[in-house]
Amino acid sequence: MSEQQRADARRNYARVLAVAEQEVATHGAGASLEQIARIAKVGSATVRRHFPTRHALLEAVSRKRIEVLCDRAHNLTGTGDSRTALLDWLTDVVTYCVHARGLAVALAYDAAGSDPVDGNSCSAALEEAGNPLLRSAIEDGAVAQGVAVADLIAVIVGIALATEHHPDPVTRAKQLFELSVAGVSPHSQPAAQ
């Protein structure tokens, strides 16, 4: 491939990604790939060459948000109360998933849409970033043994998808997240055996 062809491919990628970000923000994870191609003024084959699956497109659209969430996890690691640090980060993940249309779907497990070699890169990046926070909370006895960041992301994805069409998705998602953290048993009741 000549240098001119590579430069054209990079420009097409950037243009398609910019349009995809706008379309996903407007229409969510179901944004039309054909519409993205039309607006970007490229063929649908160009879109599919850069993003072979819808999931690959959603991961690319979500990459900057994932980086911000990973940076946030790194900044919270080792600061103050481990439970508070973990919950602050998870609350940020919930908030991003509700505000950033398509992010919850990008984080969701999708065997057909994920890269067969790397799996779900967005979820993997969050898991890696959140592991030190979770490990500290487990070591401090603030979180039960056996909980994994992947479990927490799955709960958040479910909440974000369940509240997507709610009249006030942010408030409802935060309520459901707080419920999942607190549990459904009153504090005076012994845990179920």
Side-chain angles (χ1 to χ4, degrees):
M1 180 182 284
S2 73
E3 185 58 40
Q4 179 61 38
Q5 288 172 317
R6 284 192 290 273
D8 288 345
R10 284 191 300 272
R11 275 191 299 278
N12 283 343
Y13 177 88
R15 188 169 50 244
V16 168
L17 184 57
V19 169
E21 287 172 346
Q22 293 171 346
E23 288 296 294
V24 170
T26 302
H27 302 287
S32 166
L33 298 179
E34 290 74 25
Q35 179 70 7
I36 291 169
R38 267 193 299 282
I39 295 170
K41 296 181 175 37
V42 298
S44 59
T46 298
V47 173
R48 294 190 191 286
R49 185 171 41 256
H50 291 297
F51 307 105
T53 65
R54 178 173 300 281
H55 204 270
L57 176 77
L58 293 173
E59 284 194 354
V61 165
S62 301
R63 190 162 289 125
K64 290 176 190 166
R65 290 180 179 97
I66 295 299
E67 289 171 3
V68 169
L69 289 168
C70 289
D71 288 344
R72 176 78 167 132
H74 296 303
N75 291 337
L76 287 168
T77 299
T79 61
D81 176 55
S82 62
R83 182 179 190 276
T84 300
L86 176 64
L87 291 179
D88 284 352
W89 180 68
L90 292 172
T91 300
D92 289 347
V93 176
V94 170
T95 302
Y96 266 68
C97 282
V98 173
H99 282 293
R101 298 188 73 187
L103 179 56
V105 174
L107 292 173
Y109 174 77
D110 178 11
S114 295
D115 180 328
V117 175
D118 297 323
N120 184 325
S121 64
C122 287
S123 187
L126 283 185
E127 288 177 43
E128 183 178 328
N131 274 331
L133 288 170
L134 179 61
R135 199 170 30 256
S136 291
I138 290 171
E139 288 170 1
D140 292 346
V143 174
Q145 293 283 336
V147 174
V149 176
D151 301 330
L152 301 172
I153 291 171
V155 168
I156 290 169
V157 165
I159 290 169
L161 293 176
T163 59
E164 187 173 40
H165 301 291
H166 190 276
D168 185 1
V170 173
T171 300
R172 185 64 180 141
K174 286 182 179 178
Q175 290 169 340
L176 291 174
F177 179 66
E178 289 169 6
L179 174 65
S180 69
V181 170
V184 295
S185 299
H187 293 293
S188 61
Q189 294 288 326
Q193 302 274 328

